[in-house]
């Protein structure tokens, strides 16, 4: 059974920073074969792509809205993916989800096979 568990969300003022973590577990989950992504969903809106990283960390992709502010990274030995969020804005407020898929990175929610339960990020103005 594959499980992704996000942590690190919370309430922060605009301009502040948060670091999200996503821990993967499961005997069949091969971290070295998985591309990982972060998505978010604000109230009343569809889930949207935030960032993705390939198995080695050598390839990353970001939504235009977070480029230059967010950084995705991974530690395969710890089976963990991170999302460093700086210069946070109120419009970054959402539930943030971690996701995993085999092979290459992707920006579509439908491309991912495994999902976490989400962690709330709230940015106050």
């Amino acid at each position: 059974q594959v499980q992704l568990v996000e942590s690190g969300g919370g309430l922060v003022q605009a301009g502040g920073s948060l670091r999200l973590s996503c821990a993967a577990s499961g005997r069949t989950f091969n971290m070295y074969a998985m591309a990982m992504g972060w998505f978010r969903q604000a109230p009343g809106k569809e889930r949207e792509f935030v960032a993705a990283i390939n198995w080695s960390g050598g390839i990353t992709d970001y939504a235009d809205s977070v480029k230059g502010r967010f950084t995705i990274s991974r530690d395969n030995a710890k089976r963990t993916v991170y999302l460093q969020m700086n210069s946070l804005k109120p419009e970054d407020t959402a539930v943030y989800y971690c996701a995993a898929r085999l092979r290459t990175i992707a920006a579509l929610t439908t491309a991912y096979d495994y999902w976490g339960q989400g962690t709330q990020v709230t940015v106050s103005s």
Side-chain angles (χ1 to χ4, degrees):
Q1 189 80 2
V2 174
Q3 193 171 22
L4 302 176
V5 179
E6 302 95 336
S7 61
L11 174 63
V12 64
Q13 287 190 329
S17 297
L18 281 175
R19 187 197 197 201
L20 304 183
S21 299
C22 171
S25 63
R27 287 169 48 184
T28 60
F29 191 85
N30 181 359
M31 194 69 177
Y32 292 89
M34 307 300 284
M36 305 294 292
W38 285 98
F39 291 76
R40 66 187 182 187
Q41 188 166 17
K45 295 188 176 181
E46 293 188 352
R47 193 170 298 189
E48 65 175 7
F49 171 72
V50 175
I53 188 167
N54 78 326
W55 73 273
S56 69
I59 300 173
T60 59
D61 189 23
Y62 296 91
D64 288 343
S65 59
V66 307
K67 278 181 182 176
R69 300 188 298 122
F70 290 11
T71 302
I72 188 171
S73 62
R74 64 191 292 161
D75 185 334
N76 287 343
K78 294 183 178 179
R79 308 185 93 185
T80 302
V81 178
Y82 305 98
L83 185 68
Q84 178 67 44
M85 305 187 295
N86 299 329
S87 302
L88 282 161
K89 305 175 182 179
E91 51 263 44
D92 294 319
T93 296
V95 177
Y96 283 71
Y97 297 90
C98 173
R101 71 185 301 268
L102 284 171
R103 295 183 292 278
T104 59
I105 62 174
L108 294 175
T109 57
T110 53
Y112 286 79
D113 302 304
Y114 306 104
W115 290 86
Q117 83 291 345
T119 185
Q120 177 70 47
V121 172
T122 303
V123 184
S124 63
S125 56

